Amino acid sequence: MAHSDSESPGAGGQGELAAYRLRRERELSSLYATARSLTVLGELDQVLPSIVREAHELIGSDFVYLSLRDTGGALALSAAAGTISSEFSSARMPAGAGLGGWVIETRAPVWVSDYRNADGFHRDPVFDRLVSDEGLVALLGVPLLVGDRVIGVLFAADRTERPFEKDEVALLSAFADHAAIALNNARLYDESRVALQRLQDAYRVIEDQVATMERAAAVHEALTHVVLTGGGPGDIAQSLVDHLEGVVTIRDRDDEVVATRFSGEATGGEGPVLERELLAEARRTGRCVHGEGADGTVLSVAAIQAGGSHLGSLSLRRRAATESADVRMLERSAQITGLLALLRDARVEAEERVRGELLMELLSHPPLQPVHPALRDRALARGVDVDRLDVLVTADCPDRSTADVVRELHASSAELSGLAGEYLGRATMLLRAEDPEAAVRTLHQRLRRRLGTPVLVVADRITGHDRAHSYTLAVRCLDVMRSLGETDRGATTRRYAMYGLVFDPRRAQELEGFVTDSLGPLLDYDRRRSTDLVSTVAAYFAHSGNLSRTAHALHVHTNTLLKRLDRITALLGDDWRSADSALRLHLAVRLHQLRAVLDRP
């Protein structure tokens, strides 16, 4: 049976009354002394153990424990005094259950002399097992009240069956009232301390933010100065090093280093592998990304982009972690670097456009007329003497756009005192070279390396200032080379002189006469009968006269091939397969095929 109060002890005479009064005086004195000691404690982790320790000495039970309510209303053991197991010290009582639930509900003291046989409250099986294992028998619980709110319960327990006297209940209740005030004061103290700490932290954050803003403003001012004064990547890298420290590296669109600056804490780094991986991620996300190397340094990489174009990268390597403000500085610096790259590209494109216009005017200029003085002066202003441009070069790269090839030709034209541009859809260049063969090989190697893909380059020596004719020869020779299976070579038109009848328009009449004399009967027959005897001869020579391979290449039966060969013999004569006749006929067929390729729209 649980009790919320008990009968007062009897008084059997004057001696007993005096002893009772003396004991009450000691208890009250101890209570007030304990209350005063609680008031001087400030922190909650000091108040809780002090409460149970003082209550244990005051009541004299086997052990005392204090449970506080959590946000869900459950009671969690927060402090204990006396012998108690670790399992019981971590006990939790669900909301509304156990003796504690009754104390909270009634907001009054409740006690039982034998917990195992008591009734009148909702039991929790888990807690009942802990009580049994602990040997707990008599239990007294008093509420910890702060105003009308119960914040917890203070328990006194014995391992033997016993009633709790009314004076004991009143004494523990009075102590609980003081303890509740001390707990509330400790809570308020902790909240005040936390609030003060938060204010101090907020003040430090504000100080850090102000310092960061000042640093960001300084970087922004420095970057603005770089833009307004026409500075370059080196100035941007130096500005970042001055404010962020570490190693700053700026690369161009070809991953070549254009600027590197470092402070006193410069580090060796992890090599290009990590930087390439971070750059790929930065290009994909458009944001600054970070990675830590094996040496403990932090590498931050921001891609320099404009629209869909990749213009390079900006990286910072240092030992300190990269903060959000530093990230914004890096991203802003990458944007400024991109702006400078666009301005530089605009200047370069303007210069390239002027050089391209000069190239077009020279190629369109009549060979027998002198160059206009204005055109000559514009070229001289760029270090180009038009009278010394005696070699024309054209380049073709199917895997790259003509604009890309022209851009690389422009980069080479400056050091060769030449002109480059796009003419009639072709990447073209005029330059001065004593040895065209050496010049075209050098250009081919440079273009091959810069473009990273096979490229054909053809050069022709200009004669009589007839630049347009050299252009035609070079372009048609390039097409002949590609028809012959060439994909990656630099050569002059002289190297393909044996095909000059095909790619030189001025020799078209010679070509027509040679082809007609050699193939006239076959061409007439094919035209009148819609046959393909010329292709049959070409396949026959291509397979060295092997009948089975020739038939397979033409997709005809061997008997059909023999009939065609008989027809060819009837048209050309019996000696068409002799050594001299076969050589002439083979060459005529090849030139006829190449002419057909060049004459295609």
Side-chain angles (χ1 to χ4, degrees), residues 276-529:
R276 283 198 298 268
E277 293 175 353
L278 295 178
L279 176 58
E281 179 70 12
R283 291 185 63 178
R284 187 182 65 82
T285 61
R287 303 303 302 269
C288 181
V289 296
H290 319 281
E292 184 174 347
D295 61 351
T297 59
V298 177
L299 179 63
S300 303
V301 179
I304 302 172
Q305 300 181 123
S309 301
H310 174 65
L311 302 177
S313 64
L314 186 152
S315 65
L316 169 66
R317 185 187 299 277
R318 62 180 184 177
R319 299 198 179 277
T322 305
E323 300 176 356
S324 58
D326 298 340
V327 171
R328 289 192 294 271
M329 291 183 199
L330 290 174
E331 292 178 342
R332 175 65 61 84
S333 300
Q335 293 173 353
I336 296 297
T337 307
L339 174 61
L340 292 178
L342 290 177
L343 292 175
R344 181 197 62 221
D345 289 348
R347 290 194 296 267
V348 171
E349 288 175 4
E351 180 62 22
E352 289 177 353
R353 186 167 57 252
V354 172
R355 288 177 173 267
E357 291 171 355
L358 290 172
L359 175 80
M360 292 181 64
E361 291 184 43
L362 287 173
L363 291 176
S364 304
H365 194 277
L368 299 180
Q369 293 184 10
V371 176
H372 195 280
L375 190 154
R376 189 186 304 277
D377 291 342
R378 287 164 57 201
L380 284 174
R382 286 158 179 82
V384 178
D385 184 352
V386 296
D387 294 324
R388 295 175 61 84
L389 300 177
D390 57 357
V391 175
L392 182 137
V393 175
T394 185
D396 180 55
C397 181
D399 295 335
R400 301 293 292 269
S401 67
T402 302
D404 289 339
V405 182
V406 169
R407 183 180 298 110
E408 298 304 331
L409 286 180
H410 273 300
S412 299
S413 67
E415 62 184 77
L416 296 174
S417 299
L419 297 173
E422 183 177 340
Y423 184 70
L424 300 181
R426 300 275 189 162
T428 309
M429 182 177 180
L430 289 172
L431 62 128
R432 168 69 177 172
E434 296 292 338
D435 185 355
E437 288 280 357
V440 75
R441 284 196 301 269
T442 301
L443 273 175
H444 171 259
Q445 293 172 0
R446 183 174 300 176
L447 290 175
R448 181 69 171 81
R449 183 178 65 255
R450 299 288 299 224
L451 296 173
T453 187
V455 58
L456 283 179
V457 186
V458 177
D460 183 70
R461 171 76 74 180
I462 300 172
T463 57
H465 299 292
D466 196 349
R467 306 176 188 89
H469 181 61
S470 287
Y471 171 81
T472 301
L473 291 179
V475 168
R476 290 172 68 86
C477 181
L478 189 148
D479 291 339
V480 166
M481 291 171 63
R482 195 167 293 284
S483 298
L484 294 174
E486 299 283 4
T487 59
D488 191 21
R489 181 181 291 275
T492 63
T493 55
R494 286 188 59 188
R495 274 192 170 272
Y496 291 84
M498 65 177 295
Y499 299 102
L501 286 175
V502 176
F503 63 73
D504 189 349
R506 294 178 179 177
R507 303 183 66 184
Q509 190 172 356
E510 294 179 54
L511 175 62
E512 181 63 29
F514 178 71
V515 172
T516 301
D517 290 345
S518 304
L519 300 176
L522 299 183
L523 292 172
D524 290 340
Y525 190 88
D526 284 343
R527 189 163 44 250
R528 286 186 288 106
R529 301 294 184 90

Side-chain angles (χ1 to χ4, degrees), residues 113-134:
S113 59
D114 185 357
Y115 182 86
R116 292 168 296 183
N117 298 317
D119 55 13
F121 56 86
H122 176 69
R123 289 183 175 274
D124 178 65
V126 176
F127 187 76
D128 284 356
R129 180 181 61 80
L130 292 175
V131 168
S132 177
D133 294 344
E134 194 67 28

Side-chain angles (χ1 to χ4, degrees), residues 215-232:
R215 187 173 59 175
V219 172
H220 181 73
E221 182 180 352
L223 294 176
T224 303
H225 179 75
V226 170
V227 174
L228 295 179
T229 57

Side-chain angles (χ1 to χ4, degrees), residues 37-63:
S37 67
L38 291 178
T39 59
V40 301
L41 299 177
E43 297 183 3
L44 191 62
D45 56 358
Q46 293 179 337
V47 171
L48 285 171
S50 178
I51 288 174
V52 295
R53 185 175 60 254
E54 299 291 349
H56 185 249
E57 294 179 359
L58 186 65
I59 299 300
S61 58
D62 289 338
F63 64 90

Side-chain angles (χ1 to χ4, degrees), residues 243-262:
H243 294 88
L244 300 181
E245 298 186 338
V247 181
V248 175
T249 303
I250 299 178
R251 299 177 181 270
D252 61 14
R253 55 169 57 89
D254 298 315
D255 204 30
E256 298 291 335
V257 176
V258 296
T260 301
R261 299 292 186 274
F262 56 87

Side-chain angles (χ1 to χ4, degrees), residues 527-540:
R527 189 163 44 250
R528 286 186 288 106
R529 301 294 184 90
S530 297
T531 55
D532 205 5
L533 296 181
V534 174
S535 296
T536 301
V537 173
Y540 180 79

